[in-house]
Amino acid sequence: MKLFLKKIIFLMVSVLLINCTTNGGKNLVEGDNYGKTYSIGDNAMSEKLLMLSEAYSAQNTDELVKHYDAAFLGENGVETTREWLESMDSISMKPYVVIPVKLAGDPDTKVLAWSKEERHYKNGSYEKLDLMEFFNFNKDGKVDAFRQWKSIDSSNFGKSYGGKFIGDGTNEYSGRPLVFSDRNEVEIIEKMIKDYNDMNAAGFSEPFTDMAVLNNYKGEAQKLKKEEMGDLFKDYKSVSWVPYAIVPLKIYNTDAASGVQVMSKETRVFKNGKVWEKELFEIFYFNLDGKITSMVQYARDF
């Protein structure tokens, strides 16, 4: 009977060992590593991640950067990191899950970390985040790649959405919050302002649709073809358009059309010697193709 039990136990253990795998998952990124599996990596890299988080939470730049590859940090990486950490009274990164994995045939260890982070900025702002992060530790045990995904706690002073679109009250989107748009609108406006100050009609008109409507602060609507925009400069000796803020917004969960708010100061010197100077609030409306269809302008004298 004892011999029989030993055989049964041996068979059970054998089955468990046969069915227990040390590899799993799959890399689905196109390239040489496509289809390769993952295995649990060197736990020493997990310990390095914990050391990194301690240095980060202690705002110890010199210790923190020891964990990063020099090429990844770049020329100004150390000072940029120091400036970031010193912008806060305190910062706290507390990992609660740390998993090291290796891709078959890859000498690097990829550490996946879930953590809670709190940031108390010197300017009074506050962030509370739940983070999922990826750290790639190379064969030398240095981080040379990093990605971060975050869930924002409701106690934060700053959020990625807010306000409310109202319209006339009958719009299907009425009541939705606003979010920041990011289709290169800020860069487009900055270049447009530069071209305007250079009185470069071709450059200034480039972001507009073939026919755009400019609604000035007097309530006048001016329809302009792109090729007619050069006429805007015909009476000017010089212009100076200085932006204070550029804010690209769109309504939450709608198509990509956006409205960009621009607060600025503008001075126009006419050929006849007259000077026009105002502070402006303008909204530039971008269509789905990323072109400006219209502008609404408000102004006040100094």
Side-chain angles (χ1 to χ4, degrees), residues 34-232:
Y34 182 84
K36 290 184 177 180
T37 59
Y38 290 89
S39 61
I40 294 297
D42 186 353
N43 197 52
M45 297 302 107
S46 296
E47 294 302 319
K48 282 183 173 289
L49 187 280
L50 294 176
M51 293 167 62
L52 180 154
S53 69
E54 289 178 5
Y56 180 75
S57 297
Q59 297 172 277
N60 187 337
T61 302
D62 295 332
E63 188 63 30
L64 176 62
V65 297
K66 291 179 182 178
H67 298 284
Y68 288 88
D69 183 80
F72 176 70
L73 283 172
E75 184 178 353
N76 300 315
V78 175
E79 290 312 309
T80 300
T81 302
R82 192 185 310 279
E83 182 178 349
W84 156 251
L85 291 176
E86 291 181 356
S87 70
M88 288 168 277
D89 288 322
S90 67
I91 185 168
S92 173
M93 174 186 176
K94 297 180 179 179
Y96 57 89
V97 175
V98 180
I99 305 173
V101 297
K102 289 181 70 72
L103 186 64
D106 187 352
D108 296 352
T109 298
K110 304 170 194 314
V111 178
L112 309 178
W114 285 258
S115 62
K116 301 285 188 181
E117 188 165 318
E118 290 190 62
R119 304 168 181 171
H120 294 264
Y121 293 84
K122 290 179 178 177
N123 63 12
S125 187
Y126 171 74
E127 287 184 293
K128 185 177 182 181
L129 306 169
D130 199 340
L131 302 175
M132 188 277 168
E133 297 169 307
F134 155 78
F135 296 82
N136 192 83
F137 285 85
N138 61 23
K139 58 183 176 58
D140 298 319
K142 304 289 186 181
V143 175
D144 62 6
F146 169 76
R147 292 292 299 275
Q148 181 185 86
W149 298 264
K150 62 185 177 181
S151 174
I152 302 174
D153 192 278
S154 61
S155 65
N156 282 6
F157 288 166
K159 295 182 173 64
S160 59
Y161 64 91
K164 181 183 289 187
F165 172 75
I166 298 171
D168 61 4
T170 62
N171 190 292
E172 61 179 311
Y173 303 132
S174 181
R176 291 192 186 181
L178 299 167
V179 297
F180 284 108
S181 180
D182 187 16
R183 290 192 302 149
N184 208 39
E185 294 102 328
V186 172
E187 290 79 5
I188 291 171
I189 293 291
E190 286 180 323
K191 183 178 183 303
M192 185 181 72
I193 291 174
K194 181 181 184 304
D195 288 328
Y196 182 84
N197 288 333
D198 292 340
M199 294 198 290
N200 175 358
F204 172 74
S205 64
E206 199 281 327
F208 290 85
T209 52
D210 291 339
M211 175 70 78
V213 181
L214 307 183
N215 300 280
N216 67 24
Y217 68 97
K218 295 179 180 179
E220 301 166 342
Q222 185 178 12
K223 292 184 178 180
L224 281 179
K225 293 180 180 179
K226 183 176 288 193
E227 59 267 23
E228 297 173 344
M229 288 193 176
D231 292 340
L232 294 173

Side-chain angles (χ1 to χ4, degrees), residues 244-256:
Y244 298 153
I246 302 173
V247 186
L249 297 171
K250 66 179 294 294
I251 303 169
Y252 174 76
N253 197 20
T254 59
D255 61 35

